[in-house]
């Protein structure tokens, strides 16, 4: 045949080729969907194949598909689309003409090489299939039809079951509809027909810019009884689809042109052992062969194959009857006319008393619930699962895009949709299915883990299945599982473990391969560098030789001898360089290793003893489990069930098992909606106020202690300097006296008298100098002073040592130096003597441990007060972090305390709290009826002294390794206020640890506050928000101040005076607070 192909390329994007679309319609291929209006690819999409004979429908169809595909590519241009369309049309035309054309490769400007597989060539010779011979064997008596048990839930059969429609409400228009006949073929040659009656474009409300309509899909083919309804999803099926593809073993190839409406498509299955087309399947359109016979895969030979139809947004007619709608070139019997020996009939799966069963599995979460269901459905394929898990799997097989992917699930019971379609995401589609399923005559399994365990929700589900054709059965799956279930569970566990091992092995192999490639590239680079160096040396040598020859020529012209010795010496290294050209031996590490098989894994003894497989995704979310497990019950006879089955254990055993399970869950499951009580809030507020006072006291004490220490050190230094000066003066006086004695001995007494008469000042002797040092004046130069009374002199001498002793007594001793100090004998932790607090030497680690002691102690008691259920004995160790955050509104990071686990963290404060070794819950060692918080200070001080003693003895394990983040977290008060330079000066806002410095001190040195900071004077403000606390009496003054940010408008602050200033105000919530 001769086919004329004309490629029409409109010059304007708004132009369309009516002739091209009409020609495609005549050829049997629907026009492709138009590209977005105004795009550059609209011109390319309009390119079509026109002209020629109608005998080449594949040419026009393939060209249209190629143009549309190229136009849809974001990198393709109009020229690319036209080139691809031209190549595809030429290939299809050649195939239609009987020529062999495997594929055509087109170089596209933007998209690169595009390979179009040519459709299988259709033989133009006479049909090889012969007419069916007369068969006298008995025929099947059952009517070939689609049973509801073999259809998806959105299929509505009409007109005696021959016309199939699909639901399109509440998002169902996005899902594929499937139906499988009740009769399969295992021998002979038989056919069935399908015709598209209606093509729908149902509207959809979607988000995220998805398309505004769903595309019609039709797949007709064959599948085994155990195979999937969805054709092409598994290797147990094969099909021809509306896109012109034949799919077998999950591999699709272009075989014919697209389907069109009102055309009859016949599928011929030839299972005869002899003949030219034995064990093949063929497609005919309106009685004409649409493609060559397709061979059956080996895995489908010898099995009974059932006709299956998969469609979407269509209304289709299926003909199994005795007479075909379109005659073939040869006589072929329909499936309804099949012999009993060649057919397999699946009966209608009706259970007891002519009723269908609707099962309600009742099983505890994460105890083999869905594993049991999978095993049950595998053994009983006539049951249909009704659950959200089934809906997710259905959407995946229908090709729906899921925003978070199909591996993500919030739980197995309620996985969450996340499709971007409102009707699907809000589960409107699931409610529609719950209304449709009870109207169908089929066996159902209503899988609702949480709802099936709660009596009220079970009864609500039962009300939907009050139809007389249903037998409502509750299946209780609790207790110790059966041996079959354990064997299947261990098989699944071994399979998961092997898959994980194989993945790790492949990852390791890939990493080693990357290392080898990197070494190989490095070796090649080094070799290339050496070659370049040798090439550079050769070039230099050639240049030197050329220069040498030029020098020789010049020397010869001048009659001089050439330097032959230098030439010989220079040639030696050049010859050696040329030898270094042999390739280096290949390193053993560079060789490709032989392919190795992944290691085989086995289950450990612990894994074999585990009755249930731990699911990767929990059956219920933490919220659903914690809020509902106390209401779990086993079904009773009066709830409306026709029958209650106990699979693994008896009714009494299941009830006892459930009771023990609930008791254990009360300990190990957290309460999501728990709120701290009022008594806890009052106690915690009092603790924060007391903690602030302690911290402030330590700041003040360190300041006073530092000042006294500096004063004592200055006095000691002055005494040392005075003693040194006195010693030097005595030495100088002694030297002077010695010199005078020597002079007096040489000159005599007369010389001394002469000098005195002449008015010269005589040199003082040693006796006079000593008297002068003692305070007495020389008789020759000073007038005598009146002697002080003897009583006053003695009184001064007594007061001096007393003053020194008093100054030494003002500086208290270091408590760490007193090993006999009794910590628990202290009455006031704020003053153990001379104003020194018990926590004077604490560091941030000790403050962190103090807070940890109180918080864990109060957490254990507050939980028991706020939770009224006696079965909840305490906070499980796995949920300490959750409740700590809920009560104290802050996070707890155990690594900041230098430990890895909560057991190690609690061991740091084991004198206050402990973990019960049996129940694993947090327990306090202290009573909740404490008069004050001093006990926590004493416990922390005792622990600190013991820790220091152990460190001094060489026990390095006793040292703490806290992070500096705790130093900031435990700082809750600002520093002391600065002394004012002048009375009435505004406060100086300076950054301080935990806030700004307090205001200046006033004229009476008692301090007054300013507008900045959380309080006045020496008082310490809490970490606070913008809160104005009401004035209230405070120690040495009033609770005052406004915790305000520096740039906010400040309220007026009248100066007030009090002992030690005012206690700072402000409350938690705004940064770290301002000032003290």
């Amino acid at each position: 045949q001769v086919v004329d192909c004309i490629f029409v390329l409109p010059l304007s994007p708004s132009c369309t080729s009516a002739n091209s679309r009409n020609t495609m319609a005549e050829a049997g291929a629907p026009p492709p969907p138009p590209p977005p209006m105004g795009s550059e690819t609209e011109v390319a999409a309009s390119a079509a194949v026109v002209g020629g004979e109608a005998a080449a429908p594949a040419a026009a169809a393939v060209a249209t598909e190629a143009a549309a595909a190229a136009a849809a590519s974001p990198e393709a241009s109009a020229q690319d689309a036209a080139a691809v369309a031209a190549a595809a049309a030429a290939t299809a035309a050649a195939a239609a003409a009987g020529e062999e054309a495997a594929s055509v490769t087109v170089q596209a400007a933007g998209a690169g090489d595009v390979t179009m597989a040519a459709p299988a060539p259709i033989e133009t010779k006479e049909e090889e299939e012969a007419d069916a011979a007369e068969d006298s064997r008995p025929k099947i008596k059952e009517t070939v039809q689609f049973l509801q048990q073999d259809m998806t839930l959105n299929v509505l059969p009409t007109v005696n079951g021959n016309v199939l429609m699909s639901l399109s409400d509440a998002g169902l228009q996005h899902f594929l509809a499937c139906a499988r006949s009740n009769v399969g073929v295992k021998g002979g040659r038989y056919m069935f027909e399908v015709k598209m009656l209606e093509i729908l474009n149902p509207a959809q409300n979607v988000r995220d810019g998805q398309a505004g309509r769903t595309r019609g899909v039709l797949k007709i083919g064959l599948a085994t009884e155990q195979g999937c309804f969805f054709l092409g999803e598994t290797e147990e099926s094969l099909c021809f689809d509306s896109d012109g593809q034949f799919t077998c073993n999950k591999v699709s190839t272009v075989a014919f042109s697209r389907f069109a409406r009102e055309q009859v498509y016949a599928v011929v299955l030839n299972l005869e052992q002899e003949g030219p087309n034995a064990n093949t399947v063929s497609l005919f359109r309106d009685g004409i062969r649409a493609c060559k016979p397709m061979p059956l895969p080996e895995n489908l030979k010898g099995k009974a194959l059932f006709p299956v139809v998969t469609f979407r947004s269509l209304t289709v007619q299926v003909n199994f009857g005795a007479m075909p709608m379109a005659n073939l070139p040869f006589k072929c019997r329909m499936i309804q006319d099949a012999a009993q020996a060649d057919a397999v009939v699946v009966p209608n799966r009706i259970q007891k008393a002519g009723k269908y069963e609707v099962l309600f599995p009742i099983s505890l979460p994460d105890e083999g619930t869905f594993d049991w269901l999978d095993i049950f459905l595998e053994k009983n394929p006539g049951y249909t699962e009704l659950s959200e898990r089934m809906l997710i799997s259905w959407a995946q097989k229908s090709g729906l895009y899921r925003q978070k992917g199909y591996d993500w699930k919030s739980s197995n019971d309620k996985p969450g949709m996340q499709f971007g379609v409102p009707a699907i995401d809000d589960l409107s589609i699931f409610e529609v299915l719950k209304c449709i399923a009870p109207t169908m005559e089929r066996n159902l399994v209503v899988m609702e883990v949480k709802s099936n365990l709660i009596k009220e929700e079970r009864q609500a589900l039962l009300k939907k299945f009050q139809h007389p054709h249903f037998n409502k059965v509750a299946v209780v799956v609790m207790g110790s599982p059966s041996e079959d279930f354990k064997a299947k569970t261990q098989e699944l566990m071994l399979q998961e473990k092997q898959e994980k091992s194989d993945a790790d092995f492949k990852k390791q192999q890939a990493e080693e391969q990357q290392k080898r490639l990197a070494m190989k590239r490095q070796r090649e680079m080094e070799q290339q560098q050496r070659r370049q160096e040798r090439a550079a040396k050769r070039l230099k040598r050639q240049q030197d030789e050329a220069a040498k020859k030029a020098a020789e020529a010049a020397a010869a012209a001048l009659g001089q001898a050439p330097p032959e010795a230098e030439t010989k010496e220079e040639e030696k290294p050049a010859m050696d360089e040329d030898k270094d050209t042999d390739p280096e031996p290949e390193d053993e590490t560079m060789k490709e290793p032989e392919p190795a098989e992944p290691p085989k894994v086995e289950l450990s003894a612990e894994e074999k003893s585990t009755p249930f497989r731990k699911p990767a995704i929990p059956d219920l979310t933490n919220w659903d489990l914690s809020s509902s497990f106390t209401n779990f019950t086993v079904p009773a006879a009066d709830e409306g069930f026709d029958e209650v089955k106990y699979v693994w254990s008896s009714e009494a055993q299941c009830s006892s098992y459930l009771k023990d399970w609930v008791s254990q869950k009360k300990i190990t499951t957290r309460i999501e909606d728990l709120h701290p009580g009022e008594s806890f809030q009052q106690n915690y507020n009092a603790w924060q106020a007391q903690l602030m006072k302690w911290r402030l006291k330590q700041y003040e004490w360190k300041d006073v202690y530092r000042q006294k220490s500096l004063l004592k050190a200055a006095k000691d230094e002055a005494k040392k300097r005075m003693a040194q000066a006195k010693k030097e003066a005595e030495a100088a006086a002694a030297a002077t006296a010695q010199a005078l004695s020597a002079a007096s001995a040489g000159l005599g007494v007369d010389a001394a008298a002469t000098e005195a008469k002449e008015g010269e000042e005589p040199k003082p002797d040693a006796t006079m100098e000593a008297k002068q040092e003692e305070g007495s004046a020389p008789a020759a130069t000073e007038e005598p002073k009146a002697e002080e009374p003897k009583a006053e002199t003695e009184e001064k001498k007594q007061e001096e040592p007393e003053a020194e002793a008093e100054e030494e007594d003002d500086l208290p001793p270091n408590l760490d130096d007193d090993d006999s100090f009794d910590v628990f004998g202290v009455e006031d932790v704020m003053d153990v003597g001379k104003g020194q607090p018990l926590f004077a030497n604490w560091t941030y680690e000790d403050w962190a441990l103090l807070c940890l002691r109180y918080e864990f102690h109060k957490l254990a008691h507050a939980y028991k007060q706020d939770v009224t259920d006696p079965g909840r004995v305490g906070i499980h160790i796995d949920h300490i972090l959750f409740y700590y955050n809920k009560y104290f509104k802050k996070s707890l990071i155990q690594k900041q305390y230098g430990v890895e686990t909560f057991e190690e963290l609690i061991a740091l404060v084991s004198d206050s709290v402990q973990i019960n070794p049996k129940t694993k819950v947090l327990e306090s060692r202290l009573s909740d009826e404490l008069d004050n918080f001093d006990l926590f200070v004493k416990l922390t001080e005792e622990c600190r002294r013991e820790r220091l003693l152990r460190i001094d003895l060489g026990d390095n394990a006793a040292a703490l390794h806290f992070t500096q983040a705790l130093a900031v977290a435990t700082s809750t008060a600002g520093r002391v206020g600065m002394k004012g330079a002048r009375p009435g000066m505004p406060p100086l806002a300076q950054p301080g640890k935990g806030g700004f410095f307090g205001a200046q001190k006033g004229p009476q040195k008692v301090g007054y506050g300013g507008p900045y900071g959380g309080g006045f004077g020496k008082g310490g403000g809490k970490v606070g928000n913008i809160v104005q606390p009401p004035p209230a009496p405070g120690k040495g003054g009033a609770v005052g101040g406004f915790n305000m940010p520096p740039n906010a408008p400040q309220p007026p602050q009248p100066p007030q005076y009090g002992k030690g200033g005012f206690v700072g105000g402000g409350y938690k919530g705004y940064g770290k607070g301002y000032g003290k």
Side-chain angles (χ1 to χ4, degrees), residues 52-73:
E53 298 290 338
V62 174
T64 302
E65 296 173 12
S73 175

Side-chain angles (χ1 to χ4, degrees), residues 709-721 808:
S709 299
L710 293 176
L711 181 60
K712 183 177 181 301
K715 291 181 178 180
D716 293 343
E717 184 66 24
K719 289 180 180 180
K720 290 181 181 180
R721 288 198 300 269
E808 292 179 358

Side-chain angles (χ1 to χ4, degrees), residues 238-241 244-248 251-256 281 291 294-297:
L238 54 85
C239 67
F240 302 91
D241 61 30
Q245 296 180 340
F246 174 73
T247 303
C248 181
V251 177
S252 299
T253 57
V254 178
F256 50 93
V281 59
C291 67
M294 298 296 179
L296 291 178

Side-chain angles (χ1 to χ4, degrees), residues 531-549 570-571 573-574 577-578:
R531 286 194 294 267
Q532 292 177 357
E533 291 176 355
R534 288 196 296 269
K537 291 180 180 180
R538 285 195 297 270
L539 179 60
K540 186 177 183 301
R541 188 172 62 251
Q542 293 174 1
Q543 293 175 353
D544 293 343
E545 290 177 356
K548 181 180 178 181
K549 291 180 180 180
E570 292 177 357
E571 288 178 355
E577 291 173 4
D578 293 337

Side-chain angles (χ1 to χ4, degrees), residues 196-480:
M196 288 193 299
L197 300 180
E198 185 181 21
I199 300 177
L200 306 175
N201 290 316
Q204 60 178 347
N205 183 15
V206 296
R207 297 189 294 263
D208 300 334
Q210 297 186 21
R213 60 182 183 177
T214 55
R215 187 173 65 90
V217 174
L218 176 60
K219 298 179 181 180
I220 54 178
L222 303 160
T224 62
E225 183 180 1
Q226 303 298 330
C228 181
F229 289 171
F230 299 86
L231 292 174
E233 287 292 326
T234 65
E235 296 180 354
E236 296 294 320
S237 64
L238 54 85
C239 67
F240 302 91
D241 61 30
S242 55
D243 291 332
Q245 296 180 340
F246 174 73
T247 303
C248 181
N249 287 333
K250 303 174 67 174
V251 177
S252 299
T253 57
V254 178
F256 50 93
S257 60
R258 292 185 177 183
F259 289 172
R261 185 170 55 183
E262 299 181 357
Q263 291 183 343
V264 178
Y265 294 91
V267 177
V268 178
L269 175 62
N270 190 344
L271 298 180
E272 296 177 348
Q273 300 301 322
E274 299 179 356
N277 296 331
N279 289 321
T280 61
V281 59
S282 302
L283 180 67
F284 291 82
R285 177 170 50 198
D286 289 338
I288 302 175
R289 180 177 289 275
C291 67
K292 67 178 183 180
M294 298 296 179
L296 291 178
E298 293 296 330
N299 62 309
L300 294 182
K301 291 181 180 179
K303 297 181 179 180
L305 301 178
F306 293 76
V308 181
V309 178
T310 300
F311 61 97
R312 179 173 59 196
S313 300
L314 299 174
T315 301
V316 297
Q317 177 186 1
V318 184
N319 180 26
F320 298 115
M323 298 298 297
M325 292 186 292
N327 294 322
L328 303 182
F330 54 91
K331 291 183 179 180
C332 182
R333 283 192 291 271
M334 305 290 290
I335 292 182
Q336 185 64 63
D337 196 26
Q340 294 181 2
D342 295 338
V344 175
V345 180
V346 177
N348 194 351
R349 299 180 179 90
I350 302 179
Q351 302 300 320
K352 297 179 181 179
K355 291 185 178 182
Y356 296 91
E357 280 189 343
V358 52
L359 305 181
F360 295 85
I362 300 173
S363 179
L364 296 175
D366 298 334
E367 291 198 358
T369 304
F370 286 94
D371 287 343
W372 176 88
L373 178 60
D374 294 336
I375 296 173
F376 177 83
L377 293 177
E378 184 179 356
K379 294 180 179 179
N380 302 274
Y383 285 79
T384 300
E385 178 184 357
L386 186 60
S387 66
E388 293 186 21
R389 185 187 74 152
M390 176 274 300
L391 192 62
I392 292 288
S393 177
W394 189 2
Q396 183 178 10
K397 294 173 182 177
S398 299
L400 271 71
Y401 169 75
R402 195 163 184 243
Q403 296 172 349
K404 293 186 177 181
Y406 282 93
D407 293 335
W408 176 87
K409 294 178 182 178
S410 58
S411 67
N412 290 322
D413 188 37
K414 303 293 181 182
M417 298 294 108
Q418 300 292 330
F419 287 104
V421 182
I424 301 178
D425 293 344
D426 61 9
L427 294 178
S428 297
I429 183 175
F430 196 55
E431 296 300 323
V432 171
L433 292 178
K434 287 182 181 179
C435 295
I436 297 173
T439 64
M440 298 181 177
E441 296 181 352
R442 61 197 307 165
N443 297 315
L444 298 172
V445 180
V446 181
M447 194 60 190
E448 296 278 348
V449 179
K450 182 176 74 69
S451 299
N452 290 350
L453 283 166
I454 301 175
K455 180 179 179 180
E456 292 76 10
E457 298 185 18
R458 280 197 303 264
Q459 293 177 344
L461 289 174
L462 277 174
K463 292 180 180 179
K464 298 180 180 294
F465 297 91
Q466 297 299 326
H467 297 72
H469 60 271
F470 278 127
N471 186 38
K472 300 176 287 296
V473 180
V475 182
V476 182
V477 188
M478 291 184 188
S480 178

Side-chain angles (χ1 to χ4, degrees), residues 48 74 131 171 176 234 285 295 435 439 703 716 763 795 797 815 889:
D131 292 341
L176 291 175
T234 65
R285 177 170 50 198
C435 295
T439 64
D703 186 41
D716 293 343
K763 300 292 184 180
E795 185 178 354
K797 290 181 180 180
L815 296 179
K889 302 297 186 293

Side-chain angles (χ1 to χ4, degrees), residues 772 776-785:
Q772 186 177 0
S776 58
T781 58
E782 297 182 0
E783 297 180 0
K785 294 184 180 179

